[in-house]
Amino acid sequence: MADFDLSIDEKRVYADKSGKQTAYVAAGVGVVTVDVSDDLVGGFRIDRRCTARDAAGSPGEVAIATDEDVLLVQGGDYHELDFGPATAVGFHRNRVVAADDSGRVARFDEAGWTDLGEVEAVRALDGSLVAAGDGVYRVGDDGLSHVGLDDANDVSDPAGRLGGDSGTPLAATDSGLYALGNGWMDALDGAFSAVASIPDGRAHAVGPNGVVARDKESGAWEAAPIPLGETVVALAHDARAAYAVTDAGSFCVRLTGGDWRTQVLGLDAVGVAVR
């Protein structure tokens, strides 16, 4: 990768924080950063003016899809990656992946962008998985391969995102929430629009009755509604908390086992990420 890349050891240092986090919200006005200390939401500001379409996080860095390019945020610096206009971003084994309006999916490394393939209507990228209008695809050595389901709105693949071996892949679809084991297995019925998870099994998803959360010990899904009459449009997760943004422009954070705390941003948010 380029000389601004963080090593894996440096990423672990970034991930080891004492209660403080910066969330990155993708919105029409640009990239908005929100200061979070445990479950207390602090100040927020427009950190980069652009038309942001999506956001994804990996320890130590955040990727932003914009209508002009893909941006990689490391430290306080924004690096343009020369992808062109992007609609979705994610991380595959700690490397940025991106998609555009045509369905092109590519991964960024030391040599620049490598095209992985082209699929129909890419909606989300995470780890080794691509959520598309005709199902879920997997990133492999030979490009993309279809791995099931008829459609997908969002995917979460913590093992593929971080290059580890822990974490169950999840897919949010119009017909239900699915977990990948011996094939795709039903987790919950109903239309699901977003999902986020981490390697230890904790996860949040947005379904027909609002936000639900999965307990890492029992694996059971329980209602975890935000205290607002708004719809969550995007989720993010780290070891400490879950983060969400709503269609009315509110930011929400929830520590494990706690209640949601909220802050009105007043923005047309479409994505959220933490590093």
Side-chain angles (χ1 to χ4, degrees):
M1 200 171 178
D3 58 6
F4 52 79
D5 183 38
L6 291 172
S7 70
I8 297 301
D9 287 340
E10 287 173 313
K11 288 182 179 183
R12 291 193 181 112
V13 171
Y14 270 83
D16 183 19
K17 296 182 179 180
S18 56
K20 294 184 179 180
Q21 179 62 280
T22 298
Y24 290 75
V25 177
V29 297
V31 182
V32 177
T33 54
V34 183
D35 296 327
V36 181
S37 180
D38 288 326
D39 64 348
L40 301 178
V41 183
F44 61 93
R45 60 198 172 277
I46 300 175
D47 205 42
R48 172 93 173 203
R49 288 195 176 273
C50 60
T51 301
R53 295 172 166 177
D54 192 21
S58 181
E61 56 192 356
V62 166
I64 306 292
T66 82
D67 65 346
E68 295 184 346
D69 199 3
V70 172
L71 305 175
L72 183 63
V73 189
Q74 294 180 324
D77 298 324
Y78 286 75
H79 306 278
E80 298 177 355
L81 300 189
D82 297 324
F83 176 82
T87 57
V89 286
F91 282 89
H92 176 239
R93 298 175 184 170
N94 294 294
R95 300 302 188 191
V96 179
V97 288
D100 64 16
D101 282 318
S102 72
R104 169 199 172 206
V105 179
R107 181 175 53 215
F108 186 76
D109 57 23
E110 292 88 348
W113 290 100
T114 299
D115 284 351
L116 301 172
E118 190 170 310
V119 300
E120 177 186 334
V122 176
R123 294 169 179 164
L125 302 166
D126 190 53
S128 300
L129 300 181
V130 180
D134 59 348
V136 178
Y137 288 79
R138 185 190 297 277
V139 176
D141 294 337
D142 299 322
L144 303 178
S145 59
H146 193 271
V147 291
L149 303 179
D150 296 327
D151 72 274
N153 298 317
D154 198 7
V155 285
S156 184
D157 177 24
R161 182 192 321 136
L162 301 173
D165 56 8
S166 299
T168 301
L170 299 168
T173 80
D174 287 341
S175 59
L177 184 67
Y178 295 89
L180 185 59
N182 185 17
W184 288 102
M185 300 176 292
D186 295 342
L188 293 170
D189 294 330
F192 282 80
S193 58
V195 62
S197 64
I198 55 176
D200 70 4
R202 282 176 286 171
H204 284 69
V206 182
N209 298 314
V211 180
V212 293
R214 184 174 66 182
D215 181 80
K216 72 174 183 178
E217 302 298 337
S218 68
W221 291 91
E222 298 179 349
I226 62 171
L228 302 168
E230 302 169 10
T231 300
V232 170
V233 296
L235 292 164
H237 224 305
D238 64 15
R240 185 173 292 107
Y243 308 84
V245 290
T246 75
D247 58 351
S250 295
F251 174 84
C252 313
V253 59
R254 178 181 187 250
L255 292 182
T256 300
D259 297 323
W260 289 100
R261 298 292 186 93
T262 66
Q263 171 67 58
V264 176
L265 303 182
L267 302 170
D268 53 344
V270 294
V272 61
V274 291
R275 58 187 183 182

